[in-house]
């Protein structure tokens, strides 16, 4: 594209991605308020996040494919409009079920927006400028996502949680206005249909597996058959994609070692991050007694660091090759997660969460832009939407499944610690507290000793989640070391065609 049109593409891609990512981070800050408003259990609270993540992970591959085939700009704007409409539905919800339905529709809109943003950038910029553009995209998106929770926390504290969803509407209006004549349409011309069977198997497999994991804490082994059915559907999804001429996740993409290694790293790294993004706000507000505004601002220095290093990180692959940043980055992130497992109850932010957060943020700065550059430069330009869709689907599926697993880990640790610590609680209060164990840190009791035991039990579970996340990051580093070999910045864009 002409330089002016490419700049408009970058602006609109940043705004759309920021809107989708912003929503995820803002909702995490709102979780305690939503739990109180809807009288939700811990599992129902998780579904507010997972309903969005499920439809996004299931349909993001379709979103990338339809953008390539029917027009990236057109599909992108449809996604933006759908997301805005669903945001209005979230803001107007009066029951937990209405909220979950609106969140699911938000995920559908995001499934068109998220892969569309990167495929638009890939189509607009030549390969030698793409790394820097992606670096700017990742940095600016990150900083807008970081400012969102601060604004959202302020709105929750001083107005109502409903406004955190309505802030998406003016962003969507701006994107549509700029895109209308700001840049031309791009698409891959073919007459193949869409892989709806693959989408159905992906949705059913991810949904059944997630439901089984999330309900296991309260329903026990009787839901395991649902998870087994989900795994079978996911296996069938792989078979269908390998044989389908219109596969939304073409298996030949994975013949590129860089593409395979980067996606494995994505799986483990973003799975680990889901535990932090979900449970840290709950820890801060329900245990450490931060205000929503303070909790929203906790990760702001971390994202400012990522933003400050975004241009630098965008050039790491060109300077040092693919392997080094994709191994070193996750190892640093793993150290940050391990440090987050140290704080207990109380203490100043600067002595508890600031330093671990900065370590984690530096590791992410080293990892994110090189990771995205490797993925997008491993395929030919006409397949950019499919590659972006696959990589984003991996990250979203990682978030979906990892959060469900983290829920099992935290709940088991919380219940064990609560049961053991409940011997310190007066008997007339003890049974009341234990009967609310599914509410976790939101258990309602006036007894000070019981409140302390509940807080300690939640911190025990939080520590296990952080240590598990640290282990996942190390596995991600090993995956990159095992599979990524050559510099994607220097690879021919025809890698896939040659290996096919």
């Amino acid at each position: 594209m002409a330089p002016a049109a490419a700049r408009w593409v970058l602006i609109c891609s940043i705004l759309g991605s920021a809107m989708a990512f912003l929503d995820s981070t803002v909702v995490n800050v709102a979780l305690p308020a939503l739990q109180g408003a809807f009288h939700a259990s811990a599992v129902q609270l998780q579904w507010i996040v997972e309903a969005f993540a499920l439809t996004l992970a299931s349909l993001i591959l379709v979103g990338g494919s339809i953008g390539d085939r029917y027009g990236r700009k057109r599909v992108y704007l449809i996604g933006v409009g759908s997301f805005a409409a669903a945001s209005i539905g979230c803001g107007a919800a009066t029951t937990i079920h209405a909220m979950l339905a609106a969140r699911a529709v938000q995920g559908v809109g995001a499934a068109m927006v998220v892969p569309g943003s990167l495929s638009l950038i890939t189509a607009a910029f030549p390969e030698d400028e793409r790394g820097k553009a992606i670096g700017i995209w990742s940095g600016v998106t990150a900083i807008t996502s970081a400012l969102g929770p601060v604004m959202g926390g302020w709105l929750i504290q001083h107005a109502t949680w409903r406004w955190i969803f309505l802030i998406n509407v003016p962003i969507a209006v701006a994107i549509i206005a700029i895109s209308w004549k700001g840049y031309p349409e791009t698409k891959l011309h073919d007459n193949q249909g869409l892989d709806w069977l693959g989408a159905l198997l992906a949705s059913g497999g991810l949904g059944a597996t997630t439901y089984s994991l999330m309900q296991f804490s309260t329903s026990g082994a009787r839901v395991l058959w649902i998870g087994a059915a989900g795994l079978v559907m996911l296996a069938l999804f792989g078979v269908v994609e390998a044989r389908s001429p219109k596969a939304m996740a073409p298996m030949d993409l994975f013949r590129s070692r860089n593409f395979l290694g980067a996606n494995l790293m994505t799986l483990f790294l973003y799975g680990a991050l889901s535990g932090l993004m979900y449970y840290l706000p709950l820890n801060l507000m329900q245990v450490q007694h931060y205000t929503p505004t303070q909790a929203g601002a906790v990760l702001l220095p971390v994202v400012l660091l990522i933003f400050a290093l975004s241009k630098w990180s965008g050039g790491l692959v060109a300077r040092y090759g693919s392997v080094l940043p994709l191994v070193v980055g996750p190892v640093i992130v793993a150290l940050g997660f391990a440090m987050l497992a140290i704080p207990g109850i109380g203490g100043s932010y600067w002595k508890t969460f600031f330093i671990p957060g900065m370590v984690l943020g530096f590791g992410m700065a080293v990892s994110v832009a090189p990771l995205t550059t490797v993925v997008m430069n491993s395929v030919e330009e006409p397949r950019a939407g499919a590659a972006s869709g696959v990589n984003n689907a991996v990250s979203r599926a990682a978030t979906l499944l990892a959060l469900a697993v983290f829920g099992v880990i935290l709940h088991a640790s919380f219940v064990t610690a609560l049961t053991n610590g409940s011997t310190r609680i007066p008997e007339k209060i003890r049974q009341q507290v234990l009967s609310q164990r599914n509410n976790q840190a939101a258990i309602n009791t006036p007894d000070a000793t019981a409140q302390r035991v509940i807080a300690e039990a939640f911190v025990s579970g939080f520590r296990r989640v952080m240590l598990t996340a640290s282990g996942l990051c190390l596995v991600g580093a090993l995956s990159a070391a095992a599979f990524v070999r050559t510099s994607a910045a220097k690879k021919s864009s025809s890698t896939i065609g040659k290996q096919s």
Side-chain angles (χ1 to χ4, degrees):
M1 292 185 188
R7 284 194 293 271
W8 286 123
V9 166
L10 183 59
I11 291 170
C12 289
S13 297
I14 288 170
L15 287 174
S17 299
M19 183 177 68
F21 298 151
L22 171 74
D23 191 79
S24 299
T25 54
V26 170
V27 168
N28 289 331
V29 175
L31 289 173
L34 293 172
Q35 188 169 22
F38 296 119
H39 306 290
S41 67
V43 171
Q44 289 175 322
L45 196 67
Q46 268 189 277
W47 272 115
I48 293 176
V49 174
E50 295 284 57
F52 175 88
L54 176 59
T55 52
L56 175 55
S58 302
L59 299 175
I60 200 168
L61 291 169
V62 176
S65 297
I66 63 176
D68 283 345
R69 292 169 181 169
Y70 300 114
R72 294 171 178 132
K73 175 179 173 179
R74 177 186 303 167
V75 172
Y76 186 71
L77 294 183
I78 291 172
V80 168
S82 302
F83 193 92
S87 296
I88 295 173
C90 289
T94 56
T95 66
I96 186 68
H97 298 98
M99 173 61 73
L100 296 181
R103 288 286 289 162
V105 176
Q106 270 192 319
V108 175
M112 291 180 270
V113 172
V114 174
S117 62
L118 276 176
S119 63
L120 282 170
I121 290 174
T122 303
F125 290 89
E127 186 174 333
D128 59 346
E129 297 179 16
R130 199 174 296 154
K132 289 184 178 179
I134 290 173
I136 294 171
W137 168 84
S138 63
V140 178
T141 299
I143 195 169
T144 53
S145 299
L147 292 173
V150 181
M151 181 190 303
W154 188 89
L155 289 171
I156 294 165
Q157 188 173 343
H158 298 283
T160 172
W161 57 265
R162 298 184 185 278
W163 284 104
I164 69 169
F165 297 104
L166 300 178
I167 61 176
N168 295 322
V169 177
I171 299 175
V173 171
I175 294 170
I176 294 171
I178 293 171
S179 298
W180 197 254
K181 292 186 178 180
Y183 55 90
E185 180 65 278
T186 61
K187 64 181 178 179
L188 171 66
H189 297 280
D190 67 33
N191 296 318
Q192 291 182 328
L194 293 176
D195 183 16
W196 294 113
L197 177 58
L200 180 63
L201 289 172
S203 302
L206 288 171
T209 305
T210 303
Y211 178 84
S212 176
L213 288 169
M214 290 178 62
Q215 295 298 131
F216 179 77
S217 298
T218 55
S219 302
R222 61 184 177 179
V223 297
L224 291 180
W225 70 269
I226 300 176
L231 293 175
V232 170
M233 283 189 279
L234 291 176
L236 289 174
F237 170 75
V239 173
V240 167
E241 295 305 285
R243 297 181 178 181
S244 175
K246 55 184 180 181
M248 59 183 181
M251 291 296 104
D252 64 336
L253 289 175
F254 292 94
R255 294 178 185 175
S256 165
R257 293 181 63 94
N258 279 5
F259 189 78
L260 175 60
N263 277 282
L264 284 173
M265 178 182 152
T266 297
L267 179 71
F268 295 111
L269 183 64
Y270 283 89
L273 285 173
S274 68
L276 176 70
M277 300 307 294
Y278 184 86
Y279 286 110
L280 181 60
L282 292 175
N283 185 359
L284 293 174
M285 286 183 278
Q286 295 182 332
V287 175
Q288 312 296 341
H289 302 297
Y290 283 40
T291 66
T293 306
Q294 291 171 332
V298 160
L299 292 179
L300 183 57
V302 176
V303 184
L304 287 174
L305 176 64
I306 297 174
F307 174 73
L309 299 177
S310 61
K311 288 187 178 180
W312 166 77
S313 64
L316 286 177
V317 171
R319 279 179 283 174
Y320 300 107
S322 307
V323 180
L324 187 62
L326 297 189
V327 172
V328 173
V331 170
I332 298 173
V333 177
L335 176 61
F337 274 117
M339 294 171 68
L340 283 169
I342 297 174
I345 301 171
S348 71
Y349 162 68
W350 304 105
K351 294 181 179 179
T352 54
F353 296 105
F354 176 73
I355 294 176
M358 294 301 283
V359 172
L360 189 149
F362 179 71
M364 288 301 298
V366 173
S367 306
V368 174
L371 174 62
T372 307
T373 302
V374 168
V375 169
M376 300 308 292
N377 283 344
S378 295
V379 300
E380 296 173 319
E381 186 274 330
R383 308 184 77 185
S388 175
V390 169
N391 185 245
N392 277 286
V394 169
S395 69
R396 300 300 170 171
T399 297
L400 180 73
L401 297 174
L403 185 55
V405 172
F406 286 141
V408 174
I409 293 171
L410 189 136
H411 185 77
S413 179
F414 176 82
V415 170
T416 299
L418 182 67
T419 303
N420 293 338
S422 66
T423 56
R424 296 152 46 194
I425 303 174
E427 185 59 31
K428 64 179 181 179
I429 301 292
R430 182 174 181 269
Q431 293 304 319
Q432 181 188 35
V433 167
L434 292 177
S435 68
Q436 299 180 67
R437 60 185 176 273
N438 290 338
N439 292 339
Q440 294 177 1
I443 291 174
N444 184 23
T445 176
D447 186 81
T449 302
Q451 290 173 354
R452 179 74 183 186
V453 169
I454 293 165
E456 290 173 350
F458 190 87
V459 169
S460 174
F462 180 80
R463 284 172 170 165
R464 293 201 178 190
V465 168
M466 292 299 99
L467 292 175
T468 304
S470 179
L472 289 176
C473 291
L474 293 177
V475 175
L478 291 174
S479 299
F483 290 98
V484 178
R485 284 290 179 268
T486 58
S487 173
K490 299 177 182 179
K491 283 185 68 175
S492 168
S493 62
S494 61
T495 297
I496 300 299
K498 291 179 179 178
Q499 292 184 344
S500 297

